[in-house]
Amino acid sequence: MTPSRKPTTFSGILVRSIILVCFSVFGFSARATHIVGGDLHYEYLGNDQYLITLKVYRDCATSSTNFDDPAAIGIYDSNGNLVVNLEIPLSEAIVSDVPVNTLQECLTPPDGLCVKEAIFSGTVTLPEIPGGYTIAYQRCCRNTTLVNTESNDDLGMTLFAEIPGSGAFWGNSNPSFNQYPPIVICLNQPFIFDHSATDLDGDELVYEFCNPLLTNVPGFYINPPGAPPYPELIFNAGYSYEYPITSNPAFEIDPVTGLLTGTPTQLGQYVVGICVKEYRNGQLVSTTNRDFQFNVTLCEMDAVASIPDQVDFCDGLTVQFTNNSVNSSTYLWDFGVEDSDLDISTEFEPEFTFPDTGLYIITLIANPGTLCADTAITTYSAYPVIFPEIIYEGAACIGGDMVHSFTSSANADSDAIYDWDFGPGSQPGSSSLSDPPDVILGYGQSTFEVVFTVEDNGCVESDTLVIDQPPPPQASIVPQSAWCAGYVFTFEHESENGQYYQWDFGIPGTGDTSDEEQPTFTFPDEGEYEITLIVSSDGTCPDTAMMNFSIYGDLVPYFAPQDPQCFTGNSFDFIAMGATTDVAQYEWDFGALAAPQSSVDPTTFGVTYSETGAFGVSLTITENNCTETYTDTVYVVAEPVLNFEINS
């Protein structure tokens, strides 16, 4: 939107008011007794008589010092000799207040400005001499608050005018400026002032910026003024007599019309010098300078119309308008509906319903029909609310990935622009379709933010959906640790993130499954079985673990217990039992005192011991990669001693 100009806000007015107060207190009180400008004019009366007129301007906001009394005007010949020192009493001067205005009817200057004008006039007789005369007036001091030159309370001012000598130009009257520049000009406001002069002789006048002049005689009241030449004022860096004011566009004076124009862009006080040269038949007759001061301030507009920028561009066809205008009491709104006389309102903040979507030029006039009415123009859009919405269709596990499906709805035109953002790592990461393709969300995250944005008629709206995706399960079967333990087996797992479990015990064509978390299963026969565990959880893809288990019948080796044997002729016979197949392997261990010491036969005969005592016997059977051992004890005892007597 491009309004016709930038409106003034209430906050800006408040800041402006504060600045003006500070400027008044610290600016004008500091320069209350200072000279702010002036110029000299002479008129030839005939018979070598001249009417000399001096115009001097000074601050009077808190004045404690009056104009010069008397005002001394020095007249020098071309050799620098003082010919006449014309002293004019203040009582004979015309003293008046200079009107404080901005030359712009609807801009009000700040309070506290005061400048007085004193017009001194006197008649002097000057005989015709070669080289002519220089008329001069000098006075201290300029303001110490000037922006474009040094702050020095000793900087004075010299005004001068040239009277041509004997010859064709004798009896000349110099140009007289028609009006004094306004003492205040408004910051950031275009300035236009007619700085032209009138010449009684009808000479050609040329206007230009020239360097303001300083005094060459010390003192406050200077009587008589010093002789020419006069020193020039030295400008601060960034300024010159041709660019005396911070401005854009820069100040300039039309050399033919004397029209002074420019737009000041910085607050402050600036000294300006302008000279007017008169030419007759192409020859320079004389030069007259004018010295004056511009006070750049913030001015108050009598009325300021202001429409705030539109915030909600697609908020429907009914718009509630806000009015930020100031210094006004009546209003006229035009809502820009073509071929309609009903799109106006005089309310302060009206509500208006546009007949159709589109862009409308809104016009607000503050204080309509008055001289200082102000107008603000901006552009508003009237479009329906988009209302974008993400519709989540759910997710399914496809090819080992969770694939999410989305559709959308929006109150948008057919040429609307759509943008999906599924977050980092997603496949795909974005889409420009209203209904995007299925999406695999990024890995390594538990929460995903999906953003759906619609741009239509320059309006942008978004919807956001947060999806929680649980961590995927990880299936894990606890490895087998017991072999040849029979056909009944209890399975365990170490899976993570699971809710549901599906076991398959590897017997084709049978119902060998279980959904228990830790199932027990009875196998029909011994052998190698491939066990499968599928772990799943809501909203995730399942995970599978597989492991081979060996299932065999119980292997329980044993041998029959042996009765104790006497030491003499002891002999133990062992028969191995407990194997389940014909390929079992046997290993006996009868200890160090037995003979034979070991055997791999299932049966062993005639094992004898060389000492009495308790002896351990071990039987180890290896079958189907299973090994089990059985141990028992046999006893060898001493033979009994028989004592008997034969009675005779």
Side-chain angles (χ1 to χ4, degrees), residues 416-639:
I417 299 174
Y418 301 94
D419 179 67
W420 290 85
D421 185 352
F422 300 108
S426 297
Q427 301 176 14
S430 62
S431 175
S432 59
L433 302 176
S434 59
D435 297 331
D438 291 342
V439 179
I440 300 174
L441 298 178
Y443 293 102
Q445 303 177 66
S446 60
T447 301
F448 301 89
E449 186 176 86
V450 177
V451 180
F452 173 55
T453 302
V454 180
E455 181 178 352
D456 190 26
N457 297 311
C459 309
V460 179
E461 297 289 343
S462 297
D463 186 31
T464 300
L465 178 65
V466 176
I467 298 177
D468 293 326
Q469 181 168 284
Q474 297 178 356
S476 176
I477 302 173
V478 175
Q480 184 176 10
S481 60
W483 286 264
C484 303
Y487 299 143
V488 179
F489 199 95
T490 298
F491 291 91
E492 297 179 343
H493 74 92
E494 297 176 329
S495 305
E496 296 180 359
N497 307 321
Q499 289 180 289
Y500 313 106
Y501 304 88
Q502 185 66 43
W503 293 84
D504 187 314
F505 303 111
I507 303 175
T510 65
D512 61 333
T513 61
S514 174
D515 58 4
E516 296 181 10
E517 186 173 353
Q518 312 280 0
T520 298
F521 183 73
T522 300
F523 290 89
D525 198 0
E526 61 185 22
E528 292 286 329
Y529 295 89
E530 186 178 62
I531 309 302
T532 302
L533 170 61
I534 300 175
V535 181
S536 60
S537 180
D538 292 337
T540 64
C541 286
D543 189 38
T544 301
M546 302 178 70
M547 185 175 290
N548 289 331
F549 275 65
S550 298
I551 302 299
Y552 296 103
D554 288 343
L555 177 61
V556 185
Y558 70 97
F559 52 86
Q562 301 292 312
D563 293 331
Q565 298 285 337
C566 291
F567 177 70
T568 301
N570 67 81
S571 179
F572 296 89
D573 298 329
F574 298 94
I575 300 175
M577 292 177 287
T580 61
T581 67
D582 295 334
V583 294
Q585 296 181 350
Y586 306 88
E587 182 177 353
W588 295 89
D589 187 348
F590 303 108
L593 299 179
Q597 294 187 1
S598 63
S599 172
V600 294
D601 296 326
T603 59
T604 301
F605 304 97
V607 177
T608 60
Y609 288 85
S610 59
E611 294 181 4
T612 61
F615 301 96
V617 177
S618 295
L619 169 62
T620 299
I621 300 178
T622 300
E623 182 182 57
N624 297 318
N625 295 321
C626 303
T627 299
E628 294 291 341
T629 300
Y630 173 72
T631 301
D632 200 358
T633 304
V634 296
Y635 298 91
V636 177
V637 299
E639 297 179 9

Side-chain angles (χ1 to χ4, degrees), residues 107-136:
L107 287 174
T108 303
D111 296 332
L113 295 174
C114 178
V115 172
K116 284 187 177 293
E117 175 191 60
I119 303 176
F120 297 87
S121 296
T123 303
V124 63
T125 300
L126 297 173
E128 182 178 354
I129 61 173
Y133 302 92
T134 298
I135 308 173

Side-chain angles (χ1 to χ4, degrees), residues 280-351:
R280 190 177 303 166
N281 299 324
Q283 294 185 350
L284 179 63
V285 178
S286 72
T287 300
T288 302
N289 82 325
R290 168 177 268 184
D291 194 314
F292 61 92
Q293 174 183 293
F294 272 146
N295 299 304
V296 179
T297 67
L298 284 163
C299 302
E300 188 76 58
M301 290 194 70
D302 289 349
V304 177
S306 175
I307 309 172
D309 291 340
Q310 187 176 15
V311 177
D312 297 319
F313 297 92
C314 295
D315 205 22
L317 300 184
T318 299
V319 177
Q320 176 67 56
F321 287 90
T322 301
N323 189 341
N324 287 345
S325 304
V326 294
N327 299 333
S328 54
S329 57
T330 58
Y331 308 92
L332 178 60
W333 293 82
D334 188 318
F335 302 110
V337 180
E338 294 184 0
D339 303 323
S340 174
D341 296 328
L342 303 177
D343 63 331
I344 60 174
S345 174
T346 58
E347 296 181 15
F348 175 64
E349 292 185 331
E351 181 182 88

Side-chain angles (χ1 to χ4, degrees), residues 222-270:
I222 300 176
N223 188 1
Y230 304 108
E232 295 181 341
L233 180 141
I234 299 175
F235 284 89
N236 287 333
Y239 299 97
S240 67
Y241 74 87
E242 294 176 317
Y243 182 75
I245 302 175
T246 304
S247 51
N248 184 21
F251 273 74
E252 60 181 22
I253 187 166
D254 190 296
V256 177
T257 65
L259 193 66
L260 181 62
T261 60
T263 301
T265 57
Q266 178 177 306
L267 296 171
Q269 297 171 310
Y270 302 85

Side-chain angles (χ1 to χ4, degrees), residues 134-147:
T134 298
I135 308 173
Y137 170 78
Q138 293 184 326
R139 179 65 151 78
C140 186
C141 303
R142 298 180 187 272
N143 289 320
T144 60
T145 53
L146 291 170
V147 173

